[in-house]
Amino acid sequence: MKPPIFDYAAPATLAEATALLVQHEGDAKVLSGGQSLVPLPNMRLARPALLVDLAKLPDLDYVRADRDGLAIGAMTRQRTVELSPLVQAQHPMLHAGMLLIAHPQNRNQGTVGGSLAHADPAAELPALALALEASFRATGPQGERTITAADFFLTYLTTALAPTEILTAVRFPTLPGRTGWSILEIARRHGDFALAGVVAMVTLEPDGRCASARLVLFGVGATPIRAHAAEQLLVGQAAEPALFARAGTQAAADLEEPLSDVHATALYRRDLARVLTARALTEATTRARAA
């Protein structure tokens, strides 16, 4: 199927790009890697009058050490992040997450900012950003602002970005000491979007008790979901399988309305959330003990 007719612009500066979004507010879409946006007009799920291609914008493609984290330009290809020695050395959790995104061919084209701004609830990058408490830098006609991951994802395919704003960078904090992580998901085939997934982080006290935990479920709601009640259940407790099973039950019970579609029922997704949470906590704790 061919897309509807649209205009195309490839601005050379960020100022030109935001000016185009202001001029065509509500009718323009930002094009970065195109892995998410390009199929939508073909299926008549989007009808932009103008595509604003960011490929020529300078200084939006980089991976840099930034205080206690990594700063990544929005136009950085996912494959670049995956293969970056800096990411592999300083942030193995982020590296592992990249390996779960679709296929290498998709990662060659897909950008970090494109996936985050598209905000598919079954995608790995939004869930990683929420678990890591990442921060986003957006630029619009009023200048720059920073948005926390907790405030960024609003609902299905919708973020806190204004129609005239462009996501320019994201900062992923690195993990504190004695912290382990896990990213688990279930998909129909390798490279498919997850039917359900969990990102877990566990920080241990010297005596082995859980000092803090973060749990994010994805593929089960309109956005990635932080399981706060299950996290609190873990704090101060001995990190053991029985506790992880209780946390999994809590995380699944707190899901308000799991997605239900032709791929999986809401009941199945809720049970996947329970099982994967317990497994992810076990794996994260094993890594934390070795950290």
Side-chain angles (χ1 to χ4, degrees), residues 88-109:
Q88 294 177 29
Q90 295 196 15
H91 216 312
M93 178 181 177
L94 185 58
H95 170 69
M98 290 293 156
L99 297 174
L100 294 173
I101 299 173
H103 302 280
Q105 296 90 333
N106 302 102
R107 299 195 294 272
N108 282 334
Q109 285 295 113

Side-chain angles (χ1 to χ4, degrees), residues 112-170:
V112 171
S115 177
L116 292 168
H118 185 62
D120 192 300
E124 292 83 5
L125 267 171
L128 281 165
L130 187 59
L132 288 164
E133 297 182 345
S135 58
F136 302 83
R137 189 166 74 242
T139 300
Q142 307 304 319
E144 286 189 349
R145 68 177 177 129
T146 298
I147 310 168
T148 64
D151 295 329
F152 189 77
F153 304 104
L154 300 183
T155 186
Y156 186 71
L157 303 183
T158 305
T159 71
L161 288 171
T164 55
E165 284 185 315
I166 294 172
L167 179 64
T168 56
V170 58

Side-chain angles (χ1 to χ4, degrees), residues 11 35 48 67 71 78 99 118 127 157 171-172 184 211 240 255 280 288:
Q35 296 301 288
R67 303 190 303 278
Q78 295 157 7
L99 297 174
H118 185 62
L157 303 183
R171 182 180 180 275
F172 292 97
L184 299 179
E240 57 188 17
L255 291 175

Side-chain angles (χ1 to χ4, degrees), residues 11-287:
T13 68
L14 194 55
E16 290 177 18
T18 54
L20 285 167
L21 295 182
V22 171
Q23 182 182 351
H24 300 272
E25 185 172 352
D27 292 322
K29 289 286 186 181
V30 170
L31 176 65
S32 50
Q35 296 301 288
S36 300
L37 176 59
V38 168
L40 297 182
N42 293 343
M43 296 184 287
R44 299 304 195 267
L45 297 176
R47 292 175 177 266
L50 173 69
L51 288 186
V52 180
D53 190 347
L54 305 185
K56 293 184 179 180
L57 297 190
D59 304 324
L60 294 185
D61 181 359
Y62 59 84
V63 178
R64 302 171 185 155
D66 178 25
R67 303 190 303 278
D68 296 323
L70 294 177
I72 299 177
M75 287 296 291
T76 308
R77 306 292 172 177
Q78 295 157 7
R79 185 74 162 165
T80 299
V81 178
E82 172 192 340
L83 298 177
S84 166
L86 181 63
V87 174
Q88 294 177 29
Q90 295 196 15
H91 216 312
M93 178 181 177
L94 185 58
H95 170 69
M98 290 293 156
L99 297 174
L100 294 173
I101 299 173
H103 302 280
Q105 296 90 333
N106 302 102
R107 299 195 294 272
N108 282 334
Q109 285 295 113
T111 61
V112 171
S115 177
L116 292 168
H118 185 62
D120 192 300
E124 292 83 5
L125 267 171
L128 281 165
L130 187 59
L132 288 164
E133 297 182 345
S135 58
F136 302 83
R137 189 166 74 242
T139 300
Q142 307 304 319
E144 286 189 349
R145 68 177 177 129
T146 298
I147 310 168
T148 64
D151 295 329
F152 189 77
F153 304 104
L154 300 183
T155 186
Y156 186 71
L157 303 183
T158 305
T159 71
L161 288 171
T164 55
E165 284 185 315
I166 294 172
L167 179 64
T168 56
V170 58
R171 182 180 180 275
F172 292 97
T174 49
L175 305 187
R178 298 188 61 84
T179 297
W181 55 271
S182 176
I183 312 164
L184 299 179
E185 62 180 43
I186 296 292
R188 292 173 64 89
R189 298 169 302 183
H190 173 70
D192 283 1
F193 279 115
L195 299 178
V198 176
V199 179
M201 295 169 55
V202 174
T203 303
L204 296 178
E205 300 282 8
D207 63 3
R209 290 180 298 112
C210 179
S212 65
R214 296 182 200 164
L215 287 168
V216 172
L217 309 179
F218 61 100
V220 294
T223 66
I225 299 166
R226 184 90 178 256
H228 290 287
E231 292 173 357
Q232 289 303 311
L233 190 67
L234 296 163
V235 176
Q237 304 300 311
E240 57 188 17
L243 178 65
F244 302 153
R246 288 171 52 207
T249 300
Q250 182 72 58
D254 287 345
L255 291 175
E256 292 183 5
E257 192 67 34
L259 294 174
S260 185
D261 54 30
V262 295
H263 302 295
T265 65
L267 182 63
Y268 181 56
R269 281 191 165 95
R270 192 184 295 276
D271 201 48
L272 284 179
R274 176 185 64 81
V275 173
L276 289 176
T277 296
R279 291 179 181 175
L281 287 170
T282 299
E283 186 173 68
T285 300
T286 299
R287 284 194 170 104

